[in-house]
Amino acid sequence: MRNVLVLAVLAIASVTAHAQSDYPNKPVKMIVGFAAGGISDVLGRAVAAKMTTTIGQPVIVENKPGAGTTIAGDAVAKAAPDGYTIWLQDITSHAINASLYTKLPYDSVRDFTTVALVASTPLMLVVHPSTQAKSVKELAALLKANPGKYTYGSSGTGTILHLASELFNSREGLQVLHVPYKGSGPATQAILAGDVTYVFSTMPPAVSNAKAGKLRALAVTTPKRVSTAPEVPTMIEAGVPNFEIILYSGVLGPKGMDAAVVKKLNAEFAKVVATDEIKTVFQQLGADAISSSPESFHDMLEKEIAQLAPVVKASGARAD
């Protein structure tokens, strides 16, 4: 009986090892937790299309929007850890959700396998051209002199656009009214119409409208200036110390993925984002192509969760 059991175990191990060495031998599903057309979706589809040519199997994007990406997160956490279901996630949203929701159907770190970072994107602080302020310090002075008179827009309560504004307000001691919209698109329309005083915007609409003279760009939230708008200072250069917010996009899988599969996926993503084709697509979106080891990505995720938790708490935002 013992010999039979040993043989059975060896047979299973042999099949598993073969499956791992043969990975991928069928299509890979890449889940995106946002609706089609958003920056995460566009990034995901560009990467998926390129990766399809490098791994020899289709990489199919499946959109699962809703509940601040927690619907997508729950689906991935419950998927088989075989490498055929992966999640291209806005890691900043994932880190925010760990504090924003009192009850999640998964643990934001333990229930996932970190695979690779692929992109980083700043936010851009913009005002309507009719606003008197022509710099961050002038904006802060205007808001401080008129507590409760001015407004800022966001893509919704608890989103990174909301939290960036709350961080700015707390650092500068400002009292500004929050006007949440149902997405970054409506928030952009609001600032274009002059309905709100300022917005920390995602890059594509901010850059295009600033270059067209429809908005005034005051600063970006990365520690260094960005290539798509080199004339715009960072928040730190503009006089707000230690102000750094970066939207990271990365690939997660269910917990328990085989190390060999993770290593192969990590190498493939690094190869794809290093191509001129993907770098060009990312640059058009105001994003930088990046790569990382699974281990450093894991460390960064834990750091992001810890860093954003007090910002979420200070904002008073709750999602449930």
Side-chain angles (χ1 to χ4, degrees), residues 2 6 10 31 34 39 57 71 86 109 117 137 153 166 172 186 197 210 218 252 292 298:
R2 179 181 294 179
V6 170
L10 290 174
I31 292 178
F34 297 94
I39 188 169
Q57 290 288 344
I71 292 174
I86 55 178
V109 176
L117 287 170
K137 281 302 181 184
E166 284 298 315
E172 295 295 315
T197 310
L218 299 186
L252 298 171
S292 70
H298 181 275

Side-chain angles (χ1 to χ4, degrees), residues 126-131 139 143 149-154 176-181 186-200 215:
V126 293
V127 297
H128 191 271
S130 62
T131 304
L139 176 62
L143 300 174
K149 179 180 178 181
Y150 291 97
T151 58
Y152 71 88
S154 80
V176 190
L177 298 176
H178 176 212
V179 182
Y181 293 90
T188 298
Q189 292 305 312
I191 189 70
L192 285 169
D195 293 337
V196 293
T197 310
Y198 75 87
V199 168
F200 277 88
L215 293 175

Side-chain angles (χ1 to χ4, degrees), residues 226-261:
V226 297
S227 58
T228 49
E231 73 284 359
V232 179
T234 67
M235 288 291 288
I236 296 171
E237 287 177 327
V240 185
N242 302 316
F243 194 107
E244 178 183 331
I245 292 179
I246 302 172
L247 303 182
Y248 288 103
S249 296
V251 180
L252 298 171
K255 70 176 179 180
M257 287 177 61
D258 182 81
V261 172

Side-chain angles (χ1 to χ4, degrees), residues 5-17:
L5 289 174
V6 170
L7 289 172
V9 171
L10 290 174
I12 293 171
S14 177
V15 170
T16 303

